[in-house]
Amino acid sequence: MRCSTFFSLFAALLMLNGCTSTEYLLDEKLSKFKNVYNDGEAHFVDGELQLIAEKNWFFSTRKIYEDFVLEAEVMMPDTSEYSNSGIIFRGQIIETDKGKQIIGYQVDIDPSDRKWTGGLYDQGRRKWLYPIHPTRSHPDEDFVTNYLGEWTKEQGEAYSHLTWNKIKIVCKGSDIKIFINGLLTTHVKDVKDSEGVIAFQHHGSKAYREDRDKSNIVRFRNIAITSL
C-alpha cells in the first residue's frame, strides 16, 4: 500500500512539474502520418504541414490517442474559392464501399461569414453537434451535455483570418473542450468515442482539381499532443 501511494504521489508531482509526455507530430518525412485517401497532397515545408486536395480529404496520424491536449496553429489561404478546414480527433478509420474513410469528432475551421471556427462537427455521422445547424444537426443519446449555451458573437470572432490561429483540443474521458486563440468555444460531454486518430482536413479545391492550382493551401504548424 505504501509503495502504491508513493508512486501515485510521484506521478502527480511529475504532472504538476510539467513532466508529461508531449509528442511533436511534424518531421521532414511526415513519418507519423499516413494518407488513407487518394484525393490530396501533404508536404512538409519550412516546418509546416501544407495540405491541398481535390475534394474533402483528411491526413491521418498512424497512432491512436485517448486522453490528451492537442495544440496546433493554422493559417487559412487567401483565396476567392470556398475554403474550409478542420482537425478530426478520436477519429475512426472505417471500410466502406468507397474505400477507407475517417469519421469522428472534428473541430471546424470556418473562415466564412458563418464564423463557426471552434465548433464541433461529427464527420460522417451526426454532423453539427455545436452550434446547432437548422438542418444538419443529428445529436443522439451519446451527446450528453453542452455546457456553453447558444453560440455567441465572441465565440464567432475568436478566429482571425489570414493570420496564424492557435487551436487547443482537450479530451479527458467524455469531457471535450476546444479553444481558439485562448477562448473556450466548445465544451461538451459526449460518450461516442474514447480514442482514435488525429487527422487534418483540406475541404477540397476546384482550382487544384481542374488546373493543379495550389493557391488554396491550408497550413498547420507547431503540432504537439500531450497525453493525459
Side-chain angles (χ1 to χ4, degrees):
M1 179 65 71
R2 288 181 180 177
C3 183
S4 176
T5 302
F6 172 80
F7 280 109
S8 295
L9 289 170
F10 181 68
L13 286 170
L14 285 176
M15 292 185 69
L16 285 171
N17 284 281
C19 297
T20 52
S21 174
T22 298
E23 179 183 1
Y24 296 91
L25 297 186
L26 296 183
D27 59 47
E28 290 185 359
K29 295 183 178 179
L30 297 177
S31 62
K32 298 182 180 182
F33 291 87
K34 60 183 178 181
N35 189 1
V36 302
Y37 298 91
N38 297 313
D39 308 314
E41 296 180 26
H43 300 281
F44 182 84
V45 180
D46 297 330
E48 301 173 8
L49 173 64
Q50 297 191 357
L51 307 180
I52 187 72
E54 295 182 3
K55 56 185 180 180
N56 195 22
W57 172 72
F58 297 91
F59 190 56
S60 169
T61 60
R62 297 178 181 275
K63 188 175 176 180
I64 288 173
Y65 300 90
E66 186 176 355
D67 290 347
F68 57 83
V69 177
L70 175 69
E71 296 179 279
E73 293 177 71
V74 62
M75 184 184 289
M76 297 298 291
D78 185 3
T79 178
S80 58
E81 73 171 354
Y82 179 76
S83 181
N84 180 277
S85 185
I87 304 173
I88 282 183
F89 54 99
R90 290 183 174 174
Q92 311 300 309
I93 300 176
I94 62 171
E95 291 284 354
T96 73
D97 56 359
K98 297 180 180 179
K100 291 182 179 180
Q101 293 185 9
I102 305 177
I103 62 174
Y105 304 126
Q106 179 186 338
V107 53
D108 202 59
I109 302 166
D110 176 21
S112 75
D113 292 340
R114 183 176 59 182
K115 297 184 178 181
W116 281 7
T117 296
L120 180 62
Y121 189 80
D122 190 4
Q123 173 67 31
R125 298 185 301 199
R126 298 168 293 174
K127 301 186 178 180
W128 279 104
L129 298 179
Y130 182 73
I132 296 299
H133 189 279
T135 60
R136 299 173 61 221
S137 290
H138 308 288
D140 58 13
E141 66 277 3
D142 289 336
F143 186 76
V144 180
T145 306
N146 164 36
Y147 295 102
L148 296 186
E150 296 291 330
W151 188 259
T152 67
K153 181 180 179 182
E154 183 184 19
Q155 288 162 282
E157 293 181 348
Y159 167 85
S160 180
H161 196 40
L162 303 181
T163 64
W164 286 105
N165 288 264
K166 294 182 178 180
I167 299 172
K168 181 166 74 171
I169 303 166
V170 182
C171 291
K172 182 66 174 177
S174 59
D175 193 75
I176 298 171
K177 295 178 181 177
I178 298 170
F179 298 82
I180 302 296
N181 294 320
L183 181 74
L184 180 65
T185 55
T186 292
H187 185 192
V188 303
K189 181 177 182 179
D190 190 281
V191 299
K192 181 70 76 179
D193 294 312
S194 62
E195 63 178 18
V197 299
I198 310 293
F200 294 82
Q201 181 193 33
H202 192 289
H203 204 278
S205 166
K206 181 180 179 182
Y208 174 68
R209 184 172 64 249
E210 295 182 351
D211 302 316
R212 271 0 205 194
D213 180 337
K214 293 187 177 182
S215 58
N216 194 345
I217 285 178
V218 176
R219 301 158 62 189
F220 292 93
R221 70 181 186 185
N222 297 329
I223 305 171
I225 188 163
T226 302
S227 300
L228 297 178

